[in-house]
Every structure is written in structure tokens, then in C-alpha cells.
Amino acid sequence: MSRAVLKNIMFCAASAALLAGCSPSVPDSGVPDTGAGVGFGSYEDYQQRQAARAAQASASSLPPAQAVSEEPLEGDLAAETQAVLDATRANSGEVPLEASPSNPPPEAVTNDAGISRENDFDAVGSQRSIEDDKARQAALREQYQVVQPTEVPTRSGASGPNIVEYALSTSHPKGRTIYNRIGFNLQARHTRNCAKYPSPDLAQEEFLAKGGPERDRLALDPDGDGYACSWDPAPFRAARAAAVSTQPAAGSETTTATE
């Protein structure tokens, strides 16, 4: 055997000895070595160990005996607690409602304060007669008053245009072109200038004061209907029509008296 082979054998033996000295030791599991190997111990011993662990865990979770006082409650707390318990047992003195198809239906509410019974003929008939209704209608007819429309009053201290008079002097609807409008960028100027007025009425007054409806220097009426911005004469016309419709016809009072 050559010298090189002997050196290799000696080197391998020394390395094996060093590795054996550096390897960690296997920890002790605490289970006595019975020589049966892992998983081959006695099943009775396993059950005993499990029972001991469960007993130890339950004992550690319970509070100590001295932590709970055995003295009775005293003072207002005990009285309030007892009162709540008594009220709960008594159910506030009312019999509990048990839902059942055999229960009688609840009583119907025949009348209540603030509910009119004018549509109930039986109820009204027992309270007043036909003669009473006639007398009531006659009294209401005597109190009825018709306010006759008058001319639009002139505002004191105001010399500007009157938009009410202007609305009643026109008859065409909003959006119908009556006057020609020529200019550049009318819609943009219209949007910008109309935003300066707090209300359409003020815009219409300014429009009429500046030469409208024939002229539109501020582009308040780009469609040429004679109405500035979103102003609409329809409400003023409707008010006049309603006032005229409430006027009694000629000779109606005489005819009623004759009848």
C-alpha cells in the first residue's frame, strides 16, 4: 500500500471523528425509554397523560376561591336589581299576547279626534237635518265676497318700466321670435349677462329700460321673443284670467232673487 493511500485513509478517519463530535445531541422527550420505539408505547399510559393534562388546564383557568365574595349585595344596587327582576316576572302587570287564529279580531276604531265624518251619511244625518244644511249654505253665501279687479297701481317712486303691464300687453308665448337679433356670440353673452341678475324680473326690467324689446344691447333676449333671460309673462296672464273668471255674470243676482 502506498504512502498516499495511507494519508487519505487517515484524513477520512480524522474527519469522521470531528463530525461525530460536532453533531447535536437528540433532546430528551421526558418519556421513559421502554425500548418499544416511537408510537409503540402503552395506550393506557397515553390516556393517563392526556387526562392529567386536561385536569391541569381546567384547574389553571378557574379563578381562585378568594376572588369571589360570598357577601350579599347591599344598598341601592341590590334594591334596583330586585325591582327589575320583580317587574320582569310580573310582565308589567299585563297578560302576554299569544298570537292564534282563534283570537277575536281587534276592535275597530269608529272615530278619532281630528277625523272628519262628513262622508258618513248616517253620522251626519244623526247630527243635523237637511234644513240645517240649507241654513248653513245660506249663511256661507252671505259671507261670500267677490273682489273686483282694478287697474294695476303705479308704484310710488318708480319711473322704470312695469313688467306687469308689459306682460298683459303681449299675447305670444315664450320662445316665439318676434324681433330680429343680429350679433356675434349672442348665446355666450346671454349666459354671462343673465347670471348678473338676482331674478328674471330684474333682468326684464333692465331689458325694457335699455330699449327692449325692439333693441337688445345686453344680449338678454337672443331668440327675439321679447322676454329677457328666463322671464315668462304666463303667470301674470293667468292671474288676470283667474280674476276675470271669478266675476259674476251680468244679471245673475237678479235671476237668483227672482227664483
Side-chain angles (χ1 to χ4, degrees):
M1 183 179 295
S2 63
R3 185 178 296 178
V5 175
L6 291 175
K7 288 182 178 180
N8 291 335
I9 293 174
M10 294 177 62
F11 178 77
C12 291
S15 299
L18 291 175
L19 291 175
C22 295
S23 60
S25 59
V26 178
D28 188 6
S29 61
V31 180
D33 187 7
T34 59
V38 179
F40 294 96
S42 174
Y43 185 70
E44 288 76 7
D45 296 341
Y46 170 76
Q47 288 182 331
Q48 292 177 2
R49 290 195 300 271
Q50 290 295 103
R53 291 177 182 176
Q56 183 179 2
S58 61
S60 61
S61 61
L62 294 176
Q66 61 272 17
V68 180
S69 176
E70 297 181 355
E71 297 180 0
L73 296 177
E74 297 180 358
D76 297 338
L77 180 60
E80 293 177 1
T81 305
Q82 188 63 36
V84 172
L85 293 176
D86 294 341
T88 304
R89 296 191 188 98
N91 194 26
S92 302
E94 298 181 1
V95 179
L97 178 62
E98 297 181 0
S100 175
S102 61
N103 290 345
E107 297 181 0
V109 179
T110 57
N111 192 15
D112 195 3
I115 299 178
S116 176
R117 304 181 65 182
E118 290 293 329
N119 295 329
D120 189 349
F121 181 79
D122 296 335
V124 175
S126 62
Q127 295 176 1
R128 59 177 184 264
S129 61
I130 298 178
E131 289 74 13
D132 295 336
D133 287 341
K134 289 183 178 180
R136 182 182 179 186
Q137 292 178 0
L140 294 176
R141 193 177 295 110
E142 292 178 358
Q143 298 176 3
Y144 182 77
Q145 296 180 0
V146 178
V147 179
Q148 300 296 335
T150 59
E151 296 294 334
V152 178
T154 303
R155 292 179 294 179
S156 59
S159 58
N162 192 323
I163 60 175
V164 178
E165 292 181 352
Y166 178 76
L168 300 181
S169 65
T170 59
S171 59
H172 63 279
K174 182 176 176 61
R176 178 181 297 177
T177 301
I178 304 297
Y179 307 96
N180 294 327
R181 304 300 185 205
I182 301 175
F184 297 98
N185 204 14
L186 291 179
Q187 191 61 39
R189 293 176 55 200
H190 167 76
T191 303
R192 182 175 61 254
N193 293 337
C194 286
K196 299 178 182 179
Y197 299 97
S199 66
D201 291 345
L202 295 178
Q204 183 67 19
E205 290 180 356
E206 183 74 9
F207 170 66
L208 296 177
K210 296 293 185 180
E214 290 80 8
R215 292 185 296 176
D216 184 18
R217 299 178 180 178
L218 302 177
L220 301 179
D221 179 29
D223 57 357
D225 60 356
Y227 311 136
C229 299
S230 59
W231 187 78
D232 191 355
F236 302 98
R237 299 171 186 169
R240 181 178 63 178
V244 172
S245 63
T246 57
Q247 296 182 9
S252 59
E253 296 181 357
T254 305
T255 304
T256 304
T258 303
E259 293 178 354

